[in-house]
Amino acid sequence: MAKLYFYYSAMNAGKSTVLLQSSYNYNERGMDTLLYCPSIDDRYGVGQITSRIGLTAKAHVIDQKFDIFEDVQQECAKNKNITCVLVDEAQFLNRAQVEQICRIVDELNIPVLCYGLRTDFQANPFEGSLYLLAWADNIVEVKTVCHCGKKASMNMRVDSKGNKVSHGEQIQIGGNDLYVATCRKHFNQGIANAK
Ligand SMILES: [Zn+2]
C-alpha cells in the first residue's frame, strides 16, 4: 500500500536536499519520479528545485488551480515506470490539492513525499501543512537548530538589521525577506541570532 509522507521543517533545514536525495535513490534503482513545486503566484511551467548544497532537478511549477491528481494520472498513463511523486514547498498547496494528493496515494497507489514548512513568520500554520499534518500516513521532522543549540521549529522574518518582523503578508511575492530558523522561546522573544 502506498503512503503519504509529510517531511516538515523550519527554514534552511535542508529539506530540498532530502527531497532530491530521495528522488535520486529511486532513479538509481531504475524507477522514475515526478517532481512538483507549488507556486504562490500564477507561475506555471518547468521550474527547478535547488538545494543549498548544489543539487538541482527540474520540477513542474504548479499554481493554485492546478489539479495534481489529474496530472499524475496522465503522466502515469504515458510512463508506467513512475514510482513516486515528490512535492517541494508543500506548505503552498491548498486544501483541494492535498485532497488530490490523498487520491494519488489511495486510488493510483503511488507514494507521495511532501516537503514543507509548518508555520509562517507569525507562527500560523500554512494551509498545505495544516492538511498534510492532519492526513499524512507518516509525519517526519527534518531537524535544524536555533542559535542557542535547541531544535529550531519557528521561522522568524527579519529585516536587514536582523530585527524580528511581526506584521505583513504571509508571503510577500517578489519580496526579499530574510528568515531565520529559531526555537520557540527565541521566536517569542524576537531574538534571531546570538549576540
Ligand atoms: Zn533558541
Side-chain angles (χ1 to χ4, degrees), residues 67-191:
D67 188 326
I68 190 167
F69 176 84
E70 211 165 87
D71 195 69
V72 170
Q73 198 173 33
Q74 283 171 10
E75 292 291 334
C76 289
K78 283 186 279 182
N79 179 1
K80 301 285 181 212
N81 201 34
I82 292 169
T83 313
C84 183
V85 173
L86 300 104
V87 183
D88 200 17
E89 308 288 3
Q91 70 272 14
F92 296 141
L93 294 165
N94 56 43
R95 178 183 167 136
Q97 288 169 326
V98 181
E99 289 173 355
Q100 290 155 14
I101 283 172
C102 290
R103 291 180 57 213
I104 294 168
V105 175
D106 298 337
E107 296 176 28
L108 305 180
N109 201 31
I110 294 172
V112 182
L113 279 54
C114 293
Y115 298 77
L117 301 175
R118 198 161 48 156
T119 53
D120 67 15
F121 78 108
Q122 292 176 316
N124 295 314
F126 283 101
E127 182 173 347
S129 305
L130 190 62
Y131 293 106
L132 286 165
L133 286 167
W135 300 337
D137 298 297
N138 286 61
I139 296 166
V140 184
E141 184 169 24
V142 181
K143 292 187 180 126
T144 189
V145 289
C146 178
H147 57 81
C148 69
K150 280 180 73 177
K151 185 180 81 179
S153 55
M154 312 301 282
N155 301 304
M156 194 190 298
R157 184 182 287 174
V158 295
D159 63 20
S160 57
K161 292 179 183 143
N163 296 315
K164 183 182 180 182
V165 177
S166 300
H167 301 284
E169 297 294 314
Q170 184 176 54
I171 308 137
Q172 291 186 323
I173 295 169
N176 291 311
D177 295 325
L178 295 171
Y179 292 92
V180 179
T182 67
C183 70
R184 190 174 54 226
K185 176 180 155 186
H186 285 127
F187 179 87
N188 288 326
Q189 290 177 342
I191 301 171

Side-chain angles (χ1 to χ4, degrees), residues 12-21 48-57 88-89:
N12 303 323
K15 63 183 168 45
S16 297
T17 307
V18 179
L19 183 158
L20 294 172
Q21 180 68 52
Q48 190 166 271
I49 295 173
T50 305
S51 74
R52 291 185 303 143
I53 60 167
L55 301 169
T56 61
D88 200 17
E89 308 288 3

